[in-house]
Amino acid sequence: MYSKYLLFAVLALSFVACKQDNKQKESVGSSGQPTANITHLTGNWIAMDFISRASDNGSVLKGMNNSHIPYAFAISFDESYGDSVMCYNGMESYKLAYSIRVDTIELKGARQGKSIFLVYDSQGQGQKEITMFDGTMAKTQIDRFIRSSAQTRDGYLAFQMALNHNLFGGQFTSLKKGLGKDPIQFTPFGSIQNLPGYDRFELCTAGDCFVTGDGIDVMTLSNSKQQDSGKFFGYRYGIDNDTLTIYNLINENPDEKGAYTIGGVVYQFLRKKPEY
């Protein structure tokens, strides 16, 4: 009888050890380095490839039309979400269930019931990255995400801050008289310094704010001290992204969406880019 109890204990310990070993293999790669888990993933991950394209072209629209729109501009991992990840596409935020297999994260039912896969780079030195493979379209789309260091309440705000910094970073001096000598700055936080009448801006990245279709990039300028002061403007950079022209947008038919046309020049700036 004693030998039977001993055998049962040995088998039980072997079973527990086996489960622990399998669990460890799920979170540690073949090199012995830690791989994807909620501890490593927690935070806001932003679509840096898209931000780089927009910055290089001086245009959100060109960043989209010259390549593609990523499935999400930002994804957020947080232990409080349970087995879900938060996605932000510029118009809405929503959760997707996910599962992890070593370095690969499956976002389940992302589009038409199909999954999207993220690969976490656990072996690289320095800043960690996630590569998104979206095979739900006719052609697989690949996008690189980095974890934002900005302390924001959600992933889309982190994305906006990075986009603002890359697309509108630097100092702007007016090429038209009447704005004074102080340089104008568009901050990553969406504020504007030294532009009379306006102290806030927001770049259009999705949805109904593209009021001219593909005609021109759109931003909203507003005054935080005046309610409902937001107004659409078109913006366009020069070839080398060193001049910025901002245009009036005229609503030809208020009852029809997207019926805006490009009006006259409101501001024209010379840009001194930030030094990185």
Side-chain angles (χ1 to χ4, degrees):
M1 181 67 70
Y2 177 78
S3 60
K4 288 182 180 180
Y5 284 127
L6 180 61
L7 177 61
F8 176 79
V10 170
L11 290 173
L13 288 172
S14 298
F15 176 74
V16 171
C18 182
K19 286 191 68 175
Q20 288 178 337
D21 184 59
N22 287 338
K23 192 172 183 180
Q24 186 177 14
K25 286 179 180 178
E26 289 294 317
S27 62
V28 177
S30 58
S31 65
Q33 297 297 318
T35 58
N37 58 47
I38 191 60
T39 301
H40 300 124
L41 295 172
T42 293
N44 299 315
W45 298 79
I46 57 177
M48 199 62 211
D49 276 351
F50 176 80
I51 292 172
S52 296
R53 288 198 304 271
S55 178
D56 290 344
N57 288 280
S59 165
V60 169
L61 281 173
K62 288 181 180 177
M64 295 174 174
N65 296 335
N66 292 353
S67 183
H68 65 272
I69 304 172
Y71 172 77
F73 291 126
I75 50 179
S76 298
F77 290 88
D78 191 292
E79 198 165 5
S80 65
Y81 300 157
D83 60 354
S84 297
V85 62
M86 189 74 76
C87 299
Y88 304 85
N89 62 14
M91 295 178 288
E92 60 182 349
S93 59
Y94 52 93
K95 290 180 180 178
L96 290 177
Y98 76 93
S99 62
I100 300 175
R101 176 77 176 178
V102 190
D103 277 356
T104 303
I105 304 109
E106 179 183 0
L107 304 186
K108 300 177 180 180
R111 189 157 25 213
Q112 298 177 345
K114 299 178 181 178
S115 294
I116 286 175
F117 294 89
L118 314 175
V119 177
Y120 172 71
D121 177 16
S122 63
Q123 307 302 318
Q125 298 296 320
Q127 188 176 51
K128 302 299 183 184
E129 298 180 357
I130 284 177
T131 304
M132 174 182 285
F133 295 87
D134 179 2
T136 64
M137 310 292 284
K139 183 180 179 181
T140 298
Q141 297 178 353
I142 302 174
D143 290 281
R144 178 176 60 98
F145 287 70
I146 64 169
R147 180 160 38 203
S148 171
S149 59
Q151 300 299 311
T152 61
R153 68 174 181 267
D154 62 52
Y156 186 63
L157 285 175
F159 167 80
Q160 285 181 303
M161 287 182 64
L163 182 66
N164 292 345
H165 175 69
N166 281 269
L167 197 55
F168 273 76
Q171 293 187 338
F172 296 80
T173 53
S174 178
L175 295 175
K176 297 176 70 175
K177 294 181 180 180
L179 289 185
K181 296 181 180 179
D182 293 330
I184 293 160
Q185 288 185 291
F186 298 82
T187 76
F189 304 98
S191 62
I192 310 172
Q193 297 174 359
N194 302 321
L195 183 63
Y198 299 103
D199 62 4
R200 301 290 304 171
F201 78 101
E202 183 174 351
L203 305 181
C204 178
T205 60
D208 294 341
C209 55
F210 283 119
V211 292
T212 68
D214 286 345
I216 195 169
D217 281 280
V218 177
M219 65 162 59
T220 300
L221 299 181
S222 60
N223 188 324
S224 61
K225 297 178 181 178
Q226 298 178 12
Q227 191 173 4
D228 300 325
S229 62
K231 182 180 178 182
F232 289 133
F233 289 88
Y235 68 90
R236 186 173 288 149
Y237 274 103
I239 295 176
D240 296 322
N241 293 341
D242 57 355
T243 58
L244 172 66
T245 305
I246 297 179
Y247 299 83
N248 260 322
L249 295 182
I250 303 169
N251 191 355
E252 300 285 359
N253 185 355
D255 297 326
E256 182 181 344
K257 288 185 178 180
Y260 285 71
T261 58
I262 303 171
V265 174
V266 183
Y267 306 109
Q268 195 165 35
F269 301 110
L270 181 65
R271 180 192 190 192
K272 182 181 179 181
K273 296 181 184 179
E275 296 181 1
Y276 295 105

